[in-house]
Amino acid sequence: MKRKIIHCFATYILALFLFFSNMLSCYAASPVIRSVSISPGSTVATLNSTCAFTVSVVGDNNYSREVAWSVSGQTSRNTFIDGNGILNISSEETASSLVVKAVSKQDSRYSATALVTLQKPSCQVQIKASPDNAGTVTESRSVDYGGSITLEASAKDGYRFDSWMENNTILSTDSKLTLNNITSAREITAMFSQTRFHLNLSSSPAYSGTVSGQGVYDRGGSATITAVPIQGYRFVGWSENGNIVYVNPDYTINNISRDMNLAAVFEMEGAVTYTITASASSDNGTITPEGRTTVTQGSGIQYKITPKSGYTISAVYVDGTPVGAVSSYNFTDVKGDHSISVDFAAIPGQESAPPKPAETAKPDNTDTETSPAPDKTQPEKKPEEQPKQPEPSKENGLTGTLKMLDISVEEAEKLIDEGNDRELMEGALQTGDLQVTIHNDFADPTQEIDSGSFYDNTGIRNFEAAVDHMLDREDKIELLLGKRQVAIDFRIERLDRAVPAETLKFFSGNKMPAMQIGQYFEVTLTKTSQNESRQITELPEELELVLHLPDQLKADNRKFYILNMHTGADGRPEYTEFADKDKDADTVTFSADRFSTCAIAYIDWQPKAEQTPEITDTAADSDASEGNTVTAGNPGMNNTLTSIAVVLVVILVAAVCILAMLLIMRKRRE
């Protein structure tokens, strides 16, 4: 009987040992959460915006990285955070701050919080006059988000107010305009038009004759001016900006639409003169002045060429040599006789009358608007033989990139409207009408593109979005016709020089405490056109940028971020963090629509055990305003495992002792 009791007791002891051994192994292999952290830990946001948060969950034994996101403190149901950590802030939100929380789905005792401070954004309303000296307008200023502003415009003497315009759209024709519910920056222009113009007259050389007819005239009116030379001089013509525009001393100017400064040019009798003969190959356009014009040696004259409706300038010839399809031509420092002629061509697709042969220029042209009066004081010259006119040009009137591509303006406009203008832009790169430079210090190797297509650039993706923002439809057409050259320069440059103390302080005060900054750099976007450069600091669409990490920053278990400092509409610096979007350990990929000073930052997510700070879960719930990372150890789990091990050892020792005592007692009885 005693033997059975001993065997049963031993069996129970063995079963108990196996049970606790299995429990200990189960506890040892269970997934364990060590910490949860949020980036950024604190940030400032505005109404009607979004804020992205990233979370890091650290643990052991194939633990879950999933978290449940929540936001508290909001007053609007339209303020919420989605499952990807994107906080959407409603334009109706009235709270001053929000708390974002991420809770581990595996172990809800572990969480992290971030503080979002809300500020009511202000919108800058820029107001200007066009022309800028035509009147007075309300001063530009900032307006609270959703607020209103009343604009007033007053025209100066000689001007009238026409309309308020924004983005080439007329808002109102009343001089007083109230804008309500302003939710974005606005740029409003008060459009004025001149109602009276100044006509200023002078003599050249001074005191060589008298002039009359100058004064102030209403828009659309007419003025008759007269020049009378003194004895010993004769009248040559009326000059504007150094070029003869009319050759009769009596000049009637119709439909006045601008200020004019005209000089009556006189010369001493007996001065050397030359003849310039101007003609058009058809009546499908005009050249002014037409016919023969007498020009004093060393002086100049300007010719203006105007096609009729349905026609374009095909070619202009000076002394029989083509000079292009120009709309004006200047003769300067004349030292001989010259000729100028022009060909016109019908615009394809438009009906037009067949061209008529040009009339032969007459020596004594009596045209009241353009021909000089006969000069009886000069000996009569024999009519010169008219230069032989070249054959009409067969060109289609296109210039620049469109001429190279043989694409009409109408077809180009259609392609631009359809968003299918890649062929046009690549053609503009070939002709030089469009110049794009992309420089990236973090490319592999260092990359700079100043020719070819920017569409296939791997370091800056979807760069065509930047080009479309900087070039509207009209800009592209003028560029493609060669009328305007545009240079776009995009640069990502390392800041290896000393970084300003203010910049260092700004990044240090906004980044996460555990975050280290490895490299500062700057992103700039510049547009240059017609010798005027403008820096673009913000785009309506994000560009995706790829940076190859410097070798000294590469390390295992390291998470990279891009920090950005940008000046907001109110003039204050704004802080933004971008998480690395790719899984390549050698690169950082991020999307940005603001270009300014940036930094490459990183966090080592698996530090050594002795370097891991431990705080209680109570601190995790109460420290939202102080930081963003809550790191908690697992003392409860460790204590449980230790207790189990101690109990198991005690039981084993007790069992061995009891078994030994029973065996000793049995032997003594026997």
Side-chain angles (χ1 to χ4, degrees), residues 194 196-202 214-215 217 221 223 225 238-241 245 251-263 304:
Q194 197 167 350
R196 287 183 291 174
F197 300 96
H198 293 269
L199 176 59
N200 301 314
L201 305 178
S202 62
Q214 69 179 18
Y217 294 87
I225 58 177
W238 290 100
S239 170
E240 185 175 20
N241 297 324
V245 295
Y251 182 16
T252 298
I253 306 171
N254 296 311
N255 193 25
I256 296 176
S257 59
R258 60 185 176 88
D259 292 327
M260 300 180 69
N261 295 286
L262 299 176
K304 294 183 179 180

Side-chain angles (χ1 to χ4, degrees), residues 368-643:
T368 59
E369 292 292 328
T370 60
S371 61
D375 190 349
K376 297 181 180 179
T377 63
Q378 297 294 324
E380 184 178 355
K381 295 182 180 180
K382 295 181 179 180
E384 297 180 6
E385 183 178 354
Q386 288 283 56
K388 184 178 180 180
Q389 299 296 329
E391 293 295 325
S393 171
K394 296 182 180 180
E395 297 183 18
N396 57 10
L398 295 175
T399 56
T401 301
L402 293 184
K403 181 177 180 181
M404 182 199 74
L405 298 175
D406 194 23
I407 294 178
S408 68
V409 174
E410 292 77 9
E411 185 178 356
E413 290 176 340
K414 181 180 178 182
L415 292 173
I416 293 172
D417 293 339
E418 294 174 349
N420 188 27
D421 57 1
R422 175 167 178 168
E423 178 186 0
L424 301 176
M425 294 297 102
E426 289 184 336
L429 288 170
Q430 296 179 29
T431 62
D433 290 334
L434 175 62
Q435 301 171 18
V436 176
T437 300
I438 298 178
H439 177 94
N440 185 359
D441 279 347
F442 296 94
D444 189 19
T446 299
Q447 173 191 57
E448 183 160 358
I449 296 179
D450 56 10
S451 61
S453 174
F454 51 80
Y455 291 89
D456 303 319
N457 187 283
T458 57
I460 295 89
R461 299 166 185 165
N462 68 308
F463 191 72
E464 57 270 23
V467 176
D468 287 337
H469 171 68
M470 291 183 284
L471 299 176
D472 59 21
R473 184 174 185 267
E474 182 180 351
D475 290 336
K476 288 183 178 181
I477 292 299
E478 290 194 2
L479 180 150
L480 294 169
L481 287 171
K483 296 181 179 180
R484 176 191 303 179
Q485 288 188 338
V486 176
I488 297 174
D489 185 36
F490 187 83
R491 309 186 74 81
I492 303 176
E493 298 179 294
R494 296 168 59 121
L495 292 180
D496 294 326
R497 61 185 185 275
V499 180
E502 295 81 1
T503 302
L504 296 175
K505 182 178 179 181
F506 178 83
F507 280 116
S508 177
N510 286 277
K511 70 178 182 64
M512 293 170 51
M515 186 177 287
Q516 302 294 324
I517 295 180
Q519 177 68 57
Y520 290 94
F521 64 96
E522 194 158 21
V523 183
T524 57
L525 177 61
T526 307
K527 172 188 174 184
T528 303
S529 178
Q530 297 177 335
N531 298 322
E532 181 178 331
S533 295
R534 182 167 65 96
Q535 188 163 336
I536 311 298
T537 59
E538 191 169 347
L539 290 175
E541 185 174 345
E542 292 182 338
L543 299 182
E544 187 171 276
L545 311 181
V546 180
L547 308 184
H548 283 258
L549 290 168
D551 292 338
Q552 67 271 19
L553 297 183
K554 297 177 182 178
D556 294 335
N557 302 319
R558 180 168 284 182
K559 179 70 173 179
F560 286 94
Y561 300 86
I562 298 296
L563 315 183
N564 175 264
M565 181 179 72
H566 185 77
T567 302
D570 57 359
R572 293 186 294 180
E574 298 177 354
Y575 176 80
T576 310
E577 283 183 13
F578 303 98
D580 186 6
K581 298 173 62 175
D582 65 25
K583 297 182 180 180
D584 189 341
D586 295 329
T587 63
V588 176
T589 300
F590 66 103
S591 296
D593 56 4
R594 298 179 175 185
F595 311 121
S596 51
T597 303
C598 302
I600 301 177
Y602 60 88
I603 296 177
D604 292 317
W605 290 108
Q606 295 184 4
K608 295 181 180 179
E610 61 270 20
Q611 296 177 341
T612 303
E614 294 188 359
I615 60 177
T616 65
D617 190 57
T618 303
D621 293 330
S622 63
D623 203 31
S625 61
E626 297 295 327
N628 69 308
T629 304
V630 177
T631 304
N634 201 349
M637 182 65 70
N638 292 335
N639 292 337
T640 301
L641 294 176
T642 302
S643 300

Side-chain angles (χ1 to χ4, degrees), residues 154-196:
S154 177
K156 291 184 178 179
D157 186 36
Y159 291 87
R160 73 182 180 202
F161 173 80
D162 290 333
S163 63
W164 294 100
M165 292 195 69
E166 183 178 25
N167 297 326
N168 295 323
T169 301
I170 296 177
L171 301 179
S172 173
T173 56
D174 295 331
S175 60
K176 189 173 182 179
L177 170 65
T178 299
L179 302 175
N180 297 311
N181 192 28
I182 298 175
T183 58
S184 62
R186 306 283 294 270
E187 186 171 318
I188 314 294
T189 302
M191 305 300 296
F192 297 92
S193 59
Q194 197 167 350
T195 58
R196 287 183 291 174

Side-chain angles (χ1 to χ4, degrees), residues 353-368:
K356 299 179 181 180
E359 297 181 1
T360 304
K362 299 178 182 180
D364 297 328
N365 195 314
T366 58
D367 181 71
T368 59

